[in-house]
Amino acid sequence: MIYTNRSINIICFFITCFICTIIIFLSEHNVKNDNIDFPNVLEKKIAEFKQENNTNDENTNNIEIGNWYIEIPAISLKAPISETTNMEILNSYIGHFEETSLEKGNIGLAGHNRGYEHNYFENLKSVQIGDKIKYYYKDFQATYTVDKTEIIENTDWSYLEKTEENKITLITCVENEPNYRRVVQATEDESNV
């Protein structure tokens, strides 16, 4: 399971509240027991909790990317990609439109931007013309330069059509506008060809 910084912060908040509650309880009730070392018991329980939930400090910022992912440095995005765009996939990955290319031609990707555990495209609206998109698929790597950022109708699939040029097309929802989608399209850099 992949944990986001937000979920880790929430878990840490609850752990802190739990610890404070125990300390307040113990200090208010003057609980004394020479056989129990409360600070060590609490430390041990917290360590067990972190181990069970894979939330140790080394893993808090790491996302299991694998060998198929996208990077957009301008919005500090590095996210894994998986085949298809069904809800199950989009809840954990950026989805690949199956009818689009995997390497050459037009690569079509979709992702959530709010309201889900993984909102990889939450800052897609901040991407500007000229920004770079890096795409990795197995041994294939390419860098693209954004040349279009538009709002389109949710029935417009023309941006996913096959192209002679190597392109990458990113699609996500528009907040509070169910009839529209945001599309960011980029063309492969000449230096890659």
Side-chain angles (χ1 to χ4, degrees):
M1 178 175 273
I2 299 174
Y3 288 95
T4 62
N5 286 337
R6 181 176 179 216
S7 63
I8 291 170
N9 288 340
I10 291 170
I11 291 168
C12 290
F13 172 77
F14 284 108
I15 290 172
T16 303
C17 291
F18 175 73
I19 292 170
C20 291
T21 303
I22 290 174
I23 292 171
I24 291 169
F25 174 81
L26 293 177
S27 64
E28 286 181 1
H29 291 72
N30 262 341
V31 173
K32 293 182 180 177
N33 186 337
D34 294 334
N35 296 329
I36 300 176
D37 184 2
F38 285 106
N40 286 339
V41 169
L42 289 176
E43 286 177 20
K44 184 177 178 183
K45 289 293 181 191
I46 290 170
E48 288 173 5
F49 178 82
K50 284 183 174 182
Q51 186 175 11
E52 288 172 10
N53 292 286
N54 198 22
T55 59
N56 59 33
D57 294 336
E58 294 174 7
N59 293 328
T60 55
N61 293 320
N62 294 337
I63 297 172
E64 191 174 316
I65 296 294
N67 62 358
W68 194 11
Y69 62 99
I70 186 175
E71 283 185 82
I72 306 176
I75 58 171
S76 301
L77 174 70
K78 184 174 183 179
I81 301 170
S82 187
E83 193 63 71
T84 78
T85 57
N86 64 36
M87 194 58 70
E88 184 180 335
I89 292 298
L90 292 179
N91 285 338
S92 299
Y93 300 92
I94 290 174
H96 173 254
F97 288 99
E98 293 174 284
E99 61 276 7
T100 67
S101 176
L102 290 169
E103 294 180 11
K104 301 295 181 182
N106 190 9
I107 301 164
L109 304 174
H112 290 310
N113 63 37
R114 71 191 182 292
Y116 296 89
E117 185 176 355
H118 299 287
N119 302 300
Y120 293 118
F121 284 173
E122 66 184 326
N123 294 317
L124 197 61
K125 61 187 170 194
S126 300
V127 170
Q128 299 178 4
I129 292 176
D131 287 345
K132 301 293 183 185
I133 299 173
K134 298 178 181 181
Y135 173 78
Y136 304 85
Y137 175 69
K138 297 182 180 177
D139 294 329
F140 177 80
Q141 296 180 37
T143 301
Y144 303 81
T145 301
V146 174
D147 48 27
K148 289 183 185 167
T149 60
E150 298 184 13
I151 303 298
I152 59 173
E153 291 186 14
N154 65 357
T155 56
D156 181 359
W157 298 105
S158 63
Y159 285 91
L160 295 176
E161 291 175 0
K162 293 181 189 233
T163 59
E164 291 295 321
E165 286 183 292
N166 295 329
K167 293 187 173 286
I168 192 164
T169 304
L170 314 179
I171 296 179
T172 192
C173 296
V174 176
E175 188 172 353
N176 300 320
E177 296 286 344
N179 295 324
Y180 295 95
R181 299 287 179 262
R182 180 176 310 281
V183 63
V184 170
Q185 194 169 59
T187 303
E188 187 176 13
D189 290 351
E190 293 293 324
S191 59
N192 290 341
V193 181

